[in-house]
Amino acid sequence: MNSSLVGNQSGRPFCLLAISYLETINFCLLEVVIIVFLMVLIISGNIIVIFVFHCAPLLNHHTTSYFIQTMAYADLLVGVSCLVPSLSLLHYPIVLSESLVCQIFGYVVSVLKSVSMASLACISIDRYIAITKPLTYNTLVTPWRLRTCILVIWLYSCLVFLPSFHWGKPGYHGDVFQWCANSWNTDPYFTLFIVVMLYAPAAFIVCFTYFNIFRICQQHTKEINERRVRFSSQDGEAGEAQPCPDKRYAMVLFRITSVFYILWLPYIIYFLLESSNVYSNRVASFLTTWLAISNSFCNCVIYSLSNSVFQKGLKRLSGAICASCARQRVAKDSSASRSKRSSNGCHV
């Protein structure tokens, strides 16, 4: 993946996905299409999510909305940052040196990825506290502590990947630049550092909390159903099975977390293999990287399809937009009719 698209002897641009090359153009078409397509989806999807959260106050009822909105802003910035490799692949002139742009881009996307990963871990902790300590939840999880936690997430993510400027490549986000692909190598010790400081703790927290959440929900459901059967048998009425009230919302968050790790798993595996000099392939690097980045759009889809309150907020937002467009159209028509009547009056 390169910026200047190193040419071969025939003068053709060097494209990782060779099927994208066309004789009539001088850049890698398929790579540009993939990146621009994801950029548009990510930016538009997360802008909608952010606006819906502002238009639907009920979504802020859950403390997890703080972390969901943090992820939305981080994903939005991921989409905006995709503009850099897009311009590079299109041979748009860059003021800064290629090596510096490559390092900054790789660092920024790695930080944003870390923010999303840490936010998912904090969401799972929040739901775990809500289910295990419901009586003291409001005193333990306060808005001030949530804001502090979000600030710590951003600061920690920035610090974890800061050594990448001197230690080694933090990932493959910058490999659309020639310098990133050929000169910026991964360091196995830095990879181990990232795994120990970010990947492993986040994955362990998510697995531990959700395993216990669903175990507790299953136990609560069993106890509730036993009580209903006992009382219904005394009253002579048949009882219906009632699910754990927190399980449905936990399932929404679990889907978001699962899709995140499914899409990032190929990237993490390739990152580990390449860092240990076991396997290296630029096509695999490109595909796993942008598959992982596509998760920034998947969060919007999952949340909009799984959360009924979010769906209501989306309808409210679309209704407000349609009403605004209708008012503008009516105002435009009335202004045109007044102008026509005034014009007719001058000729009387």
Side-chain angles (χ1 to χ4, degrees), residues 64 120-133 137 204-222 243-255 257:
T64 50
L120 288 172
C122 290
I123 287 173
S124 65
I125 294 174
D126 175 82
R127 291 298 89 199
Y128 179 76
I129 296 175
I131 291 177
T132 56
K133 299 181 180 180
Y137 175 78
F204 173 78
I205 290 172
V206 167
C207 292
F208 174 81
T209 52
Y210 279 113
F211 173 79
N212 284 280
I213 285 172
F214 289 118
R215 181 181 60 83
I216 294 171
C217 281
Q218 186 177 10
Q219 182 179 355
H220 287 178
T221 302
K222 183 179 179 181
C244 176
D246 294 316
K247 188 174 182 179
R248 181 177 297 178
Y249 191 66
M251 280 298 299
V252 175
L253 302 174
F254 179 73
R255 291 190 193 104
T257 306

Side-chain angles (χ1 to χ4, degrees), residues 49 53 57-73 116 118-131 137-138 141-143 146-147 149-150 153 210 213 246 248-254 256-257 303 307 309-310:
V49 170
F53 267 94
L58 287 177
L59 284 171
N60 295 318
H61 174 69
H62 293 282
T63 55
T64 50
S65 65
Y66 285 84
F67 298 110
I68 294 292
Q69 292 181 71
T70 299
M71 290 176 57
Y73 281 108
S116 296
S119 296
L120 288 172
C122 290
I123 287 173
S124 65
I125 294 174
D126 175 82
R127 291 298 89 199
Y128 179 76
I129 296 175
I131 291 177
Y137 175 78
N138 290 330
V141 183
T142 61
L146 288 171
R147 295 188 185 96
C149 182
I150 291 172
I153 288 174
Y210 279 113
I213 285 172
D246 294 316
R248 181 177 297 178
Y249 191 66
M251 280 298 299
V252 175
L253 302 174
F254 179 73
I256 294 176
T257 306
Y303 206 72
N307 191 292
V309 179
F310 184 90

Side-chain angles (χ1 to χ4, degrees), residues 104-166:
I104 292 176
F105 176 74
Y107 171 76
V108 168
V109 178
S110 297
V111 168
L112 297 174
K113 168 197 67 180
S114 175
V115 169
S116 296
M117 193 174 294
S119 296
L120 288 172
C122 290
I123 287 173
S124 65
I125 294 174
D126 175 82
R127 291 298 89 199
Y128 179 76
I129 296 175
I131 291 177
T132 56
K133 299 181 180 180
L135 299 179
T136 58
Y137 175 78
N138 290 330
T139 57
L140 293 174
V141 183
T142 61
W144 182 85
R145 290 180 178 177
L146 288 171
R147 295 188 185 96
T148 303
C149 182
I150 291 172
L151 178 62
V152 170
I153 288 174
W154 281 95
L155 291 176
Y156 182 79
S157 300
C158 292
L159 292 175
V160 165
F161 287 97
L162 194 60
S164 64
F165 288 95
H166 300 285

